[in-house]
Amino acid sequence: MPTYTLTVGTGDGYMTGYYGLVPAAPGFWSAMGSVSPSGSAVDTFFWAPDGSGVSIVATTPGGDLSVIWNGQTYTLTDNLDGTAAYNDVGLGGPYPTSGTTAFDSDAASGGGGITLVASRGSFELTGSPVTFVRNRTIFAETGVFTLTGNDIGFGGGYRATISVGNFSGITYGYQSGTFGSIAWSGSPPPNPPTAISWTSSGFSVQMAAPVPGDVALNGQTYTLAGSDGSYSYSAAGKGGPYPTSGTIDILFTPGGSGYVLSAGAGSFALTGGDVGFVFPGLEPVTPAIAVTMRPGGGPVAPVSYEVGHRLAGAADWSVRSLAAVTGTLFLPGYTAGQSVELRARAASVSGAWSDWSAVTTHVVGTFDPMIRDVATFAATWTGTVWHYAWALEVGPVSVEPAGIKIRHRLGAGLGWDDLDDLHTGLLTVAPWDLSAPPATPGTHTFGACAVTAAGTYGTPVLVTVSV
């Protein structure tokens, strides 16, 4: 179990009276403390000087974690949201207010190490410190490793650095021709991703490419799936940070290679054994209400929250916990249009709970992302080809389309679902000329609709043309 040295910081703002390590919460308190060497997933570790409260929070790929401090073992319970936490009284001092203190932890961030997903068999990993966790996934610190198995191939990918841009301060990262930029290390892939973007909270991550493949971002693997030259990932992020400026590195592996290997620094070798590697597959998108919690105006800093939720008018409350001073939790199980009642309360480091807040009502889907739809569309027969022209809406939206889909059918009084696709994939450049469909005398109905990288359709625009 690695040993880390914590340089003790002094809290200010709502953290006044506490000591240790805390990331900044702008408007509430400044960052305090630091940890060395790098690689610890513990990013929050603070205490009251009398030991009446200790809070430890770490990121985790799954499972409980342990921290040994002052000879005592603190068990960090998996919150099932990518974090594990301890919030209770201290188990034994001293509780310093300055200087340094050491702790041991099996919570290692991986530092950009490797992630392998195995479909069958057994394998052995030797070398630098590693941790085995759920779902047959190995998270390892950077270093030199040997993996033993059978009939395994080692392959690279295409590394790149994204210069983070943004659209209307809502979506960050890179989208070809719209915001941000991407620089490849060496030759770029033949069919590179056209979008790798995220919201600052990681609530939504959008990726797209003309071919299937995997994108490794922050040590997590995102699988792009789809068809007809349109492959994408659209769901919540798997692990931050989600920067709003600067640069961030990614690894793109075109599809079909049958393994996931994403490495930072270090050397790796694969040999022997009965192991096969597969992509995890496209992860289902689970609709959920996102509830963001942060401290209020009281004199005591909270270290965790409980959120109560129920359908409006229901008798019983369901409760979810968030073990963090600020963060977002997700409440699945509701559908668009339902009225959901919400309330929350906070706990201090000593374990004392506040009163429940007043109940607020949320209508599911009220704040769903808006797609930039097609604003105008025209289809004109020139005598030799059909000339299609369109323009998108202007103004702020949450989701940019990956392209446009055009449909057609001979006849009048038709809706979008009655029409047939005129092409595969999506169109990204207007205008577009095509000999199809045949210029049969009569009334032709055409439609154009914006489509996101996730395959979500906007509101179509329909026109009729007489030939």
Side-chain angles (χ1 to χ4, degrees):
M1 187 177 289
T3 298
Y4 299 92
T5 298
L6 189 157
T7 299
V8 179
T10 302
D12 62 9
Y14 289 127
M15 293 301 297
T16 299
Y18 297 104
Y19 301 86
L21 170 75
V22 175
F28 300 100
W29 57 79
S30 305
M32 67 175 181
S34 61
V35 170
S36 63
S38 61
S40 171
V42 175
D43 58 13
T44 299
F45 191 162
F46 66 92
W47 53 85
D50 61 359
S52 60
V54 171
S55 178
I56 308 172
V57 181
T59 56
T60 174
D64 298 343
L65 302 173
S66 297
V67 168
I68 299 176
W69 184 44
N70 295 329
Q72 305 295 325
T73 299
Y74 292 78
T75 299
L76 280 60
T77 302
D78 187 358
N79 292 317
L80 303 179
D81 63 357
T83 66
Y86 175 92
N87 291 296
D88 209 330
V89 298
L91 303 180
Y95 304 99
T97 58
S98 62
T100 61
T101 185
F103 67 91
D104 298 337
S105 173
D106 60 5
S109 68
I114 60 172
T115 302
L116 294 172
V117 181
S119 62
R120 61 184 183 277
S122 60
F123 47 87
E124 179 183 4
L125 176 62
T126 62
S128 293
V130 297
T131 302
F132 286 80
V133 295
R134 296 176 182 166
N135 300 325
R136 295 168 295 182
T137 302
I138 306 169
F139 286 78
E141 296 180 358
T142 55
V144 179
F145 305 91
T146 298
L147 282 75
T148 59
N150 183 338
D151 298 329
I152 305 175
F154 178 89
Y158 295 87
R159 295 188 177 279
T161 298
I162 292 175
S163 294
V164 177
N166 77 89
F167 180 79
S168 299
I170 299 173
T171 301
Y172 301 86
Y174 161 72
Q175 182 166 309
S176 179
T178 305
F179 57 88
S181 61
I182 189 166
W184 296 94
S185 300
S187 299
N191 295 285
T194 56
I196 299 174
S197 62
W198 51 84
T199 57
S200 59
S201 65
F203 173 69
S204 174
V205 169
Q206 305 285 330
M207 299 182 182
V211 295
D214 287 302
V215 174
L217 176 69
N218 294 324
Q220 305 293 329
T221 299
Y222 296 82
T223 297
L224 280 57
S227 61
D228 295 333
S230 178
Y231 299 85
S232 63
Y233 174 92
S234 178
K238 299 182 179 182
Y242 304 100
T244 58
S245 61
T247 62
I248 191 168
D249 295 332
I250 64 104
L251 175 73
F252 176 59
T253 305
S257 57
Y259 63 87
V260 178
L261 176 58
S262 142
S267 300
F268 303 84
L270 300 170
T271 59
D274 289 323
V275 182
F277 293 91
V278 296
F279 289 117
L282 185 65
E283 296 188 358
V285 178
T286 302
I289 301 172
V291 181
T292 298
M293 304 299 300
R294 58 178 182 268
V300 179
V303 296
S304 64
Y305 305 91
E306 286 187 344
V307 174
H309 58 101
R310 67 183 182 186
L311 283 173
D316 298 325
W317 290 91
S318 297
V319 177
R320 286 287 308 278
S321 298
L322 176 66
V325 291
T326 183
T328 300
L329 56 80
F330 301 97
L331 308 176
Y334 297 105
T335 58
Q338 288 183 323
S339 294
V340 178
E341 295 179 335
L342 302 167
R343 65 180 185 177
R345 64 177 183 169
S348 70
V349 72
S350 66
W353 286 96
S354 70
D355 293 332
W356 285 102
S357 69
V359 175
T360 184
T361 301
H362 170 72
V363 178
V364 180
T366 302
F367 302 106
D368 282 357
M370 296 182 297
I371 300 171
R372 188 179 301 285
D373 280 322
V374 174
T376 61
F377 171 62
T380 306
W381 174 248
T382 67
T384 56
V385 296
W386 286 96
H387 180 78
Y388 302 101
W390 63 89
L392 298 177
E393 295 175 333
V394 297
V397 296
S398 297
V399 179
E400 291 290 342
I404 303 300
K405 177 72 75 174
I406 296 178
R407 293 181 178 179
H408 162 269
R409 178 167 285 189
L410 185 63
L414 303 174
W416 174 256
D417 292 335
D418 301 318
L419 307 182
D420 300 317
D421 291 348
L422 274 179
H423 56 91
T424 60
L426 299 175
L427 305 178
T428 58
V429 178
W432 185 57
D433 292 338
L434 187 68
S435 58
T440 306
T443 300
H444 294 251
T445 299
F446 295 88
C449 188
V451 185
T452 70
T456 301
Y457 283 71
T459 303
V461 173
L462 303 180
V463 297
T464 56
V465 179
S466 296
V467 177

